Amino acid sequence: MKIGYARVSTDEQSDSSQLDALLEAGCERVYQEIGSGKSRLRPELERMIDSLRAGDVVVVQRLDRLGRSLKDLIELLDGFKKQDVQFISLNENIDTTTAVGELAFHMIGSIAQFERRLISERTKAGLAAARARGRKGGRKAKLNVTDIRKAQAMLLAPDVTKTEVAEHFGVSRPTLNKALNKIVV
């Protein structure tokens, strides 16, 4: 069975061109949704996925109607494949019912994986270069050296607890302990 999925982002937008294209493509059932493609939590998309059976074909007018991020698209298409469900995107001419369409899908997946690896490598190289220049990564310390010295002085008083000192500086006890262990009097 060919099953269509149409989505518009707002009530003001019309999905009529999508519906026309899906009906022309032979879809027997069409799930219509209003909502952002950023969110994977779309009720009609979930209903469609729950209704899919082996041998079904999911059809969309354009890939961006199914999802905005490549990662989400790949996850959805992998899920379809695991269920033995094929996929067609009319505008992009992706049709996993054919060998060429399946190849196109795998190429998109490979490109996405390549892109993720490149980003990871660039990030690691950037961090290494910054460390080589003496820069440290991470968050700014919540307590500066002066605050830590004051905290050490406060803790010399026998009736003052670490909890009270931490509350005074607006930090947790573990944060105070970490700062105290870094600077030794």
Side-chain angles (χ1 to χ4, degrees):
M1 173 187 286
K2 280 190 175 180
I3 299 171
Y5 178 75
R7 182 187 61 78
V8 291
S9 299
T10 65
D11 288 323
E12 292 81 35
Q13 295 176 324
S14 171
D15 60 1
S16 58
S17 66
Q18 290 180 62
L19 296 174
D20 292 345
L22 295 173
L23 293 174
E24 188 177 315
C27 292
E28 299 167 50
R29 183 183 304 154
V30 176
Y31 290 85
Q32 296 172 256
E33 188 121 57
I34 298 173
S36 173
K38 286 182 183 177
S39 173
R40 275 284 315 267
L41 302 173
R42 291 179 265 153
E44 288 301 307
L45 177 62
E46 295 303 320
R47 280 189 53 219
M48 180 190 73
I49 291 170
D50 289 342
S51 75
L52 294 174
R53 303 290 174 253
D56 284 346
V57 179
V58 172
V59 183
V60 295
Q61 183 190 26
R62 293 191 328 259
L63 274 175
D64 69 346
R65 298 299 84 200
L66 192 59
R68 283 225 185 125
S69 81
L70 193 53
K71 179 183 174 231
D72 284 345
L73 286 171
I74 300 284
E75 285 176 10
L76 283 166
L77 295 177
D78 276 342
F80 294 164
K81 187 169 186 157
K82 286 176 185 165
Q83 290 182 271
D84 196 27
V85 171
Q86 301 298 321
F87 175 74
I88 295 174
S89 175
L90 301 172
N91 279 18
E92 289 81 11
N93 291 321
I94 295 174
D95 182 350
T96 63
T97 64
T98 68
V100 172
E102 191 169 358
L103 174 65
F105 166 69
H106 286 291
M107 288 175 66
I108 289 171
S110 296
I111 291 168
Q113 183 177 355
F114 172 71
E115 183 180 10
R116 284 190 298 273
R117 297 259 330 252
L118 270 180
I119 290 169
S120 173
E121 288 174 8
R122 282 190 216 125
T123 301
K124 288 176 185 174
L127 290 171
R131 278 194 290 286
R133 289 189 307 270
R135 295 193 58 191
K136 283 188 183 178
R139 291 183 182 176
K140 182 181 173 192
K142 292 202 175 197
L143 298 172
N144 60 35
V145 175
T146 305
D147 291 337
I148 296 169
R149 298 272 185 231
K150 287 178 185 175
Q152 288 171 329
M154 291 170 74
L155 289 170
L156 293 175
D159 59 335
V160 177
T161 67
K162 279 190 178 179
T163 302
E164 292 170 333
V165 174
E167 286 175 3
H168 172 77
F169 287 103
V171 297
S172 66
R173 272 196 60 187
T175 300
L176 176 63
N177 285 331
K178 186 176 176 184
L180 291 170
N181 289 333
K182 279 187 178 179
I183 298 183
V184 181
V185 179

